[in-house]
Amino acid sequence: MLSYNTQKKLLIFSFLAIPLALLITFSFYPAVKLIYYSFTSWDGLSNNYPWVGLSNYKSIFTNPGLFGAFGHNFSYLVCGIIQNIIALYFAIILNSKIKAKNFFRSVLFTPYILNAVAIVFIFKFIYLDTGALNLLLQHMGLGSLQQDWIGNDSIVNWSLAFVSMWEYFGFNMVIYLAALQSVPQEMYEAAKIDGANKWKTLIYITIPNIKGIIQINLLLTISGALEAFNIPFIMTNASPPTATFLTNTMNVAFTFGNYGLASAMAVVLLVLVGVVIFIQQKLLGGGRDVV
Amino acid sequence: MKKWTITVSTAGLASALLLGGLASTAVPTMAKTKKTSNITGTITVLTNRTDMQANGMLNQYSKEFEKLYPGTKVKWETFVDNNTVQVQMNGGVYPDVMMILPTITPQELPNFFAPLNNLGLGNKLYFNNFEAYQGKVYGIATFGDVNGIVYNKLAFKKAGIKSTPTTLSQFYQDCALLKKAGITPIALNYTDKWPLQYWTDVLPDLISQNANYLNTMVSSNTPFSPNTPMGKSLNVARTIVNKGYAEPDFKNTNWANSKTMMAKGKYAMMFLGNWAVPQVIADGIPSKDVGFFPFPASNNGKNIAILTPDWFLAVNKHSKHIPTAEAFVKWEVTQSGYANYAGGIPTLKSQKSGVPQLIQFEKQASKVIEGLPQSAQWTKISNGAQLDLTGGGAVQTVLTASNFSSALNQMNQAWANAKSLIGN
């Protein structure tokens, strides 16, 4: 007969074993391997892993073709921040007493549910030189604003980042909505009695109460911007003016067969996202642990 | 020339997990093969032709083979993505008959595949020494391809062009005529990237009239200078864009759409391979209105063509039914009629192509020479320099660069750096 304590331990262990095994197999083991590969010049197929030390990391920072791609991520970052502002704006409107609230909520959330690849294809057609956007501009008498939205290298990244904004802002909005609904109504009532207007309520009550959620949303947005991948990959096949750091990583691995260097790039991206999170916590963090 | 490969599927994968997840245990676990000459048992065959699975051609092929060799069974497996197959091979379990992935180096061939020397084909085939190592042949090409310009004859007629161009200056003149007639002279398919590969991996050979030209690049530190065949070739592509001979919005293109536009006569030409002819025809234009001619790379009108292999078939060395797999490879290459179906040139030298466009092409080419594989050194340097010369990436870079000669300079620099790192 097992003692109660042993039984307890056995139970805990057996419940944890499966998720832990899965976690280790599919998350930790590949991560450790990834770091190991990043110090080798493995070609992705052979059985030898020539150790090259830090040279992969050196070449990432010395080759502007690789690291410089972060310049293209900048537009995703800017659009990501705008996306959060719009999302918060709509969340506040939809949290007030307006008609057909649920209808608008679901309409605004729809882009996020749509198939991400399909969205990119839709926009590929919208952005054609004879596509919907240019036709619309023409019919509105704004023909002078017509552009090659993809063909013009100085605006292509903004065109792509807009797609990301359009797709993900519904998701941000839903999170903001949930947070807004948890703000106690008494606070608003008290503020109203004290004579606060809408703007002051927003600044002094709403935003401080959902600060943690704003942080999470920004975190998701910024790491998403650094990891921008599927939109340039599908829309432009990650052509040189639109290549991001992650599409370059793919290229290095699968076109140039340098899995070692690509692994190092993945590690650099991981570290970079960590650093950005840390800075953001330092700047915005008010002692509340949210991440 | 893996033009059928479709690589759209990887969209949502986090590259970190993907890279880390490639198992490193390539320990074959299959049973030792018995040396029997009996052609029997079930084999799996890997193919890239998802379209032939859809239209039932693959089933028809397996039925024909099974009828010829009773007791055998052929199962098809299709793939759209090299990487998946690579992971399978890494794990040691992969189809009995498969294609040789472009990433596999000759030294690695014996690790994965069985030698095919005893099929009795040898010199009767083109490309017999492409996928060989230490005197043993590991791969047999499904068919041969020639690169050239696929064109819409009606579009040429509409622009008043009587015969196809045979020199580069004639080519530009015809482009101007087509443009005047409101037709896009030549579609580059920039966005799809792979259709651009021929400007770097075929045209330089054609310009230099040397099938081995690319391999000679390894001895130069400046193989991209404007006066080299590579530089000249990139200049042709660049000129097409600068003069507005490419698609109007050439950076937002779509391969499937381009074929339709060509079938409709809105695009006149595309620099691809013979395999593109049936695809354009499939988009709704009669075969008699589609033509195919050698790229007018010369100044004297004598244009060569280089015969290059399509996918190579190989036999899994861990297969339980090696003789069956070997028999299948032999049958597919010599008897199945696949080359004609695919619109290619039969690998068996004694067979002639029955495709009218290829007959026209062979008439117009001053000679057709057999291509040579790119040397390991060439691949190493271009990979090290991160110049995508076989996938169209380098052409994209050149077409987007603000300054042509500085783009060439940068490529020269990258090449020279990689060369000094790798050594000779």
Side-chain angles (χ1 to χ4, degrees):
Chain A
M1 190 66 191
L2 295 167
S3 76
Y4 176 70
N5 253 340
T6 329
Q7 278 186 30
K8 201 168 99 183
K9 274 181 194 157
L10 196 70
L11 202 65
I12 293 174
F13 179 78
S14 47
F15 270 120
L16 279 178
I18 292 170
L20 274 181
L22 288 174
L23 191 67
I24 290 169
T25 320
F26 293 110
S27 221
F28 294 144
Y29 174 74
V32 170
K33 273 285 181 187
L34 180 77
I35 292 168
Y36 168 65
Y37 292 153
S38 76
F39 294 105
T40 69
S41 64
W42 186 42
D43 65 0
L45 197 66
S46 69
N47 261 331
N48 55 335
Y49 303 86
W51 186 263
V52 293
L54 284 172
S55 86
N56 282 335
Y57 289 92
K58 265 185 216 148
S59 63
I60 292 174
F61 293 104
T62 50
N63 184 344
L66 296 181
F67 202 71
F70 273 118
H72 300 150
N73 291 62
F74 177 72
S75 56
Y76 293 91
L77 188 67
V78 173
C79 283
I81 289 166
I82 299 172
Q83 163 194 329
N84 269 282
I85 295 169
I86 300 176
L88 186 56
Y89 175 76
F90 275 107
I92 289 169
I93 291 181
L94 291 180
N95 195 37
S96 62
K97 290 190 180 83
I98 58 162
K99 275 183 185 156
K101 212 156 50 170
N102 284 331
F103 171 73
F104 285 119
R105 276 183 199 178
S106 34
V107 165
L108 291 173
F109 188 62
T110 309
Y112 183 73
I113 311 172
L114 290 179
N115 181 328
V117 177
I119 289 178
V120 183
F121 273 113
I122 292 169
F123 272 90
K124 198 174 150 85
F125 289 111
I126 291 178
Y127 285 147
L128 280 175
D129 55 342
T130 53
L133 183 53
N134 277 342
L135 281 181
L136 185 72
L137 285 173
Q138 198 179 358
H139 285 296
M140 283 165 61
L142 295 169
S144 58
L145 290 179
Q146 284 184 356
Q147 290 284 350
D148 283 347
W149 299 102
I150 300 294
N152 186 336
D153 292 347
S154 49
I155 55 173
V156 58
N157 281 310
W158 298 98
S159 311
L160 297 186
F162 177 80
V163 179
S164 147
M165 184 168 110
W166 184 83
E167 183 181 351
Y168 292 109
F169 102 92
F171 173 73
N172 289 135
M173 186 194 74
V174 166
I175 295 184
Y176 283 134
L177 256 178
L180 286 173
Q181 280 165 0
S182 67
V183 178
Q185 286 303 312
E186 296 81 20
M187 284 191 175
Y188 289 112
E189 278 164 27
K192 218 176 195 176
I193 292 166
D194 287 344
N197 60 19
K198 280 260 151 89
W199 177 250
K200 285 203 165 149
T201 338
L202 174 69
I203 298 293
Y204 294 108
I205 296 176
T206 312
I207 291 191
N209 267 300
I210 60 167
K211 195 173 160 194
I213 298 298
I214 295 180
Q215 253 177 286
I216 289 185
N217 264 334
L218 276 181
L219 173 80
L220 291 174
T221 307
I222 294 172
S223 57
L226 288 173
E227 292 163 4
F229 170 72
N230 65 332
I231 295 174
F233 190 74
I234 301 166
M235 182 104 79
T236 62
N237 218 336
S239 66
T242 58
T244 65
F245 193 70
L246 205 52
T247 62
N248 274 350
T249 310
M250 291 278 294
N251 232 352
V252 166
F254 302 124
T255 306
F256 302 120
N258 196 339
Y259 284 67
L261 180 58
S263 303
M265 290 173 78
V267 173
V268 165
L269 186 62
L270 195 71
V271 171
L272 210 72
V273 171
V275 168
V276 170
I277 293 174
F278 180 77
I279 293 172
Q280 195 197 319
Q281 290 278 10
K282 283 281 157 201
L283 287 179
L284 299 175
R288 257 176 84 180
D289 288 334
V290 287
V291 193
Chain B
M1 323 285 138
K2 318 299 178 207
K3 65 284 309 185
W4 279 90
T5 321
I6 308 155
T7 46
V8 190
S9 56
T10 32
L13 295 177
S15 75
L17 269 178
L18 196 69
L19 289 168
L22 290 177
S24 59
T25 45
V27 187
T29 48
M30 289 206 147
K32 275 240 154 53
T33 47
K34 276 180 233 144
K35 287 271 179 235
T36 50
S37 57
N38 291 339
I39 296 172
T40 168
T42 306
I43 53 166
T44 8
V45 184
L46 188 76
T47 177
N48 57 327
R49 296 300 296 258
T50 44
D51 60 323
M52 289 174 68
Q53 188 180 43
N55 70 14
M57 273 309 279
L58 292 185
N59 270 337
Q60 201 177 315
Y61 280 172
S62 49
K63 265 185 211 139
E64 276 173 39
F65 181 77
E66 284 158 14
K67 210 166 137 196
L68 203 62
Y69 297 100
T72 59
K73 196 164 165 40
V74 178
K75 275 192 191 160
W76 293 92
E77 211 172 276
T78 54
F79 82 112
V80 290
D81 186 355
N82 290 354
N83 303 323
T84 326
V85 186
Q86 189 158 333
V87 173
Q88 281 184 345
M89 293 178 68
N90 223 252
V93 180
Y94 44 97
D96 301 285
V97 177
M98 64 177 292
M99 284 98 85
I100 300 182
L101 300 181
T103 39
I104 295 173
T105 59
Q107 294 91 303
E108 286 166 339
L109 288 171
N111 300 339
F112 296 109
F113 305 117
L116 297 172
N117 293 46
N118 46 11
L119 288 190
L121 293 169
N123 282 333
K124 290 180 197 155
L125 296 175
Y126 289 117
F127 321 116
N128 196 37
N129 295 316
F130 259 65
E131 296 289 356
Y133 185 64
Q134 293 181 340
K136 285 185 175 160
V137 177
Y138 293 93
I140 291 176
T142 43
F143 56 86
D145 287 318
V146 279
N147 295 102
I149 294 184
V150 186
Y151 73 107
N152 182 323
K153 290 182 184 170
L154 300 176
F156 268 45
K157 211 182 229 173
K158 199 179 154 200
I161 301 165
K162 298 238 160 51
S163 61
T164 56
T166 53
T167 66
L168 202 53
S169 52
Q170 264 179 32
F171 170 73
Y172 288 137
Q173 278 166 20
D174 289 348
C175 281
L177 284 175
L178 285 160
K179 198 183 172 189
K180 223 192 233 166
I183 299 162
T184 296
I186 179 164
L188 295 177
N189 295 303
Y190 172 96
T191 307
D192 298 279
K193 193 155 99 177
W194 61 261
L196 293 172
Q197 65 179 283
Y198 312 108
W199 300 94
T200 43
D201 74 2
V202 175
L203 192 51
D205 282 355
L206 298 181
I207 288 176
S208 61
Q209 308 231 332
N210 175 4
N212 198 32
Y213 173 72
L214 287 186
N215 288 334
T216 64
M217 283 170 69
V218 299
S219 59
S220 166
N221 273 326
T222 54
F224 295 93
S225 300
N227 55 347
T228 61
M230 183 63 89
K232 281 181 192 162
S233 160
L234 288 168
N235 188 33
V236 177
R238 181 92 181 181
T239 309
I240 288 171
V241 167
N242 285 350
K243 294 208 170 162
Y245 297 155
E247 302 97 317
D249 185 9
F250 83 97
K251 278 182 193 161
N252 193 6
T253 63
N254 174 326
W255 163 238
N257 188 39
S258 291
K259 287 188 288 184
T260 318
M261 294 293 265
M262 173 158 243
K264 282 183 184 164
K266 298 206 168 124
Y267 294 170
M269 299 184 270
M270 289 199 265
F271 177 31
L272 298 165
N274 46 273
W275 46 265
V277 172
Q279 295 193 38
V280 174
I281 293 170
D283 272 343
I285 178 170
S287 172
K288 66 174 174 49
D289 293 331
V290 182
F292 186 54
F293 63 90
F295 194 98
S298 71
N299 291 322
N300 60 6
K302 285 203 167 144
N303 298 298
I304 62 154
I306 293 168
L307 193 61
T308 52
D310 205 80
W311 288 97
F312 279 90
L313 290 174
V315 170
N316 180 347
K317 80 166 186 184
H318 309 299
S319 165
K320 281 179 193 158
H321 305 289
I322 289 186
T324 319
E326 284 176 344
F328 184 82
V329 169
K330 189 169 177 179
W331 176 82
E332 176 162 349
V333 172
T334 58
Q335 280 173 277
S336 69
Y338 175 54
N340 272 336
Y341 178 82
I345 291 168
T347 315
L348 205 59
K349 286 176 185 168
S350 55
Q351 281 178 6
K352 282 273 165 256
S353 168
V355 183
Q357 283 82 4
L358 276 173
I359 297 169
Q360 176 201 354
F361 182 94
E362 283 176 336
K363 227 183 260 169
Q364 293 193 25
S366 69
K367 61 180 170 184
V368 179
I369 49 179
E370 199 177 321
L372 293 162
Q374 270 113 34
S375 67
Q377 184 72 1
W378 185 88
T379 309
K380 251 192 209 165
I381 297 178
S382 50
N383 279 349
Q386 285 171 18
L387 292 169
D388 180 11
L389 299 170
T390 53
V395 184
Q396 273 191 336
T397 311
V398 167
L399 292 183
T400 340
S402 50
N403 184 316
F404 180 57
S405 57
S406 71
L408 292 187
N409 271 340
Q410 273 173 16
M411 290 166 92
N412 270 336
Q413 228 162 41
W415 183 270
N417 281 346
K419 199 173 153 241
S420 68
L421 277 177
I422 286 157
N424 291 309

